[in-house]
């Protein structure tokens, strides 16, 4: 069974860069799947951040594109998220996700809470 | 930008009842790119329905999806205790292509 696990700091200071990594088990990130990030502010709905395909082709939510970078590391079977210039509005549970299609996501990590605060 | 509006915001029903959840798109969309998720407190969302009407692996057949154009529906034929949760519809498309979620419908025990 494919497993995704997020890792990274749970607390980030305002104006700094949020960095998270997703480790994928039992499926290569170069297997023709789309891998992505979705976030959920506490008590609110879901927001797609972006996706990466075959560790190269990326798509981003236009509302976040200027601050977001998603990259892949095939040697570690991981993909990562960077969000620059964070504010309190970036406080959320961040989920890493994956699927063979870009149109929806079957595989989800458990999520990790990132709080932006000084 | 395509906006998905889910209604009602909260649905209060009893186990065994039928639940009908609505998702309306701000413009006509391809039904092939509509999905539904279930989220329970403290858990990640789970894919229920993809391509508007296909059940994901392991999803019971009491869950069904339908719709076209701007109106899509998730139906739970007979609510089980484990079905009380928040449900999100989702679309992929537009220009530039974006994955968008509705605001969610909470199905609670009456």
């Amino acid at each position: 069974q494919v497993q995704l696990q997020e890792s990274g700091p749970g607390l980030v200071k305002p104006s700094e860069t949020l960095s998270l990594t997703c480790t994928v088990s039992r499926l290569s990130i170069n297997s023709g799947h789309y891998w992505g990030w979705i976030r959920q502010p506490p008590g609110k709905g879901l927001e797609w951040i972006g996706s990466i395909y075959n560790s190269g082709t990326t798509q981003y939510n236009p509302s976040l594109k200027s601050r977001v970078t998603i990259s892949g590391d095939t040697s570690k079977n991981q993909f990562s998220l960077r969000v620059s210039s964070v504010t309190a509005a970036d406080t959320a549970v961040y989920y890493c996700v994956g699927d063979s299609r870009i149109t929806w996501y079957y595989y989800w990590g458990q999520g990790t809470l990132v709080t932006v605060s000084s | 930008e395509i906006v998905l509006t889910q209604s009602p915001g909260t649905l209060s029903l009893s186990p065994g009842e039928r639940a009908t959840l609505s998702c309306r798109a701000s413009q006509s969309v391809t039904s092939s790119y509509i999905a539904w998720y279930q989220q329970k407190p403290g858990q990640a969302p789970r894919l229920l329905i993809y391509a508007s009407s296909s059940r994901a692996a392991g999803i019971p057949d009491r869950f069904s999806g339908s719709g076209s154009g701007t109106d899509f529906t998730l139906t739970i034929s007979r609510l089980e205790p484990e079905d009380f949760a928040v449900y999100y519809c989702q679309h992929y498309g537009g220009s530039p292509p974006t994955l968008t979620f509705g605001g969610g419908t909470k199905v609670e025990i009456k």
Side-chain angles (χ1 to χ4, degrees):
Chain A
Q1 180 169 337
V2 177
Q3 292 186 331
L4 283 66
Q5 179 66 58
E6 305 90 351
S7 60
L11 181 64
V12 181
K13 290 183 168 55
S15 80
E16 295 190 343
T17 296
L18 177 161
S19 295
L20 294 174
T21 296
C22 182
T23 301
V24 181
S25 303
R26 302 188 182 90
L27 184 63
S28 168
I29 65 168
N30 268 348
S31 61
H33 279 58
Y34 293 85
W35 306 99
W37 293 91
I38 288 170
R39 70 181 184 179
Q40 184 172 36
K44 297 188 178 180
L46 301 164
E47 181 180 36
W48 176 70
I49 299 171
S51 70
I52 187 168
Y53 177 74
N54 275 356
S55 297
T57 304
T58 53
Q59 289 188 3
Y60 298 120
N61 186 324
S63 68
L64 298 169
K65 185 175 182 178
S66 63
R67 299 192 296 127
V68 170
T69 302
I70 296 176
S71 59
D73 184 342
T74 54
S75 67
K76 297 180 179 179
N77 213 39
Q78 297 174 332
F79 62 99
S80 298
L81 169 71
R82 288 171 59 87
V83 182
S84 64
S85 306
V86 296
T87 69
D90 294 306
T91 293
V93 174
Y94 285 76
Y95 296 100
C96 59
V97 295
D99 200 284
S100 59
R101 298 278 304 264
I102 195 172
T103 44
W104 45 72
Y105 293 108
Y106 180 77
Y107 302 116
W108 290 68
Q110 65 184 25
T112 187
L113 174 63
V114 179
T115 301
V116 178
S117 175
S118 55
Chain B
E1 177 190 354
I2 295 170
V3 177
L4 300 178
T5 302
Q6 291 188 241
S7 61
T10 302
L11 198 51
S12 298
L13 295 168
S14 300
E17 291 193 294
R18 182 184 186 89
T20 302
L21 287 65
S22 173
C23 177
R24 177 162 290 178
S26 56
Q27 58 187 274
S28 184
V29 299
T30 304
S31 61
S32 299
Y33 295 162
I34 289 287
W36 290 89
Y37 299 82
Q38 175 194 68
Q39 186 179 31
K40 297 179 182 179
Q43 296 184 17
R46 175 174 69 149
L47 179 66
L48 296 175
I49 300 289
Y50 64 93
S52 183
S53 60
S54 297
R55 275 186 299 278
I59 301 302
D61 59 8
R62 63 179 181 274
F63 291 93
S64 63
S66 63
S68 64
T70 60
D71 293 313
F72 297 88
T73 301
L74 174 69
T75 302
I76 310 171
S77 59
R78 287 177 58 85
L79 283 165
E80 297 288 341
E82 62 268 28
D83 298 336
F84 291 92
V86 179
Y87 293 84
Y88 294 95
C89 61
Q90 175 245 291
H91 171 261
Y92 176 81
S95 181
T98 304
L99 196 143
T100 306
F101 290 93
T105 290
K106 181 180 181 180
V107 179
E108 65 175 22
I109 300 176
K110 187 174 182 180

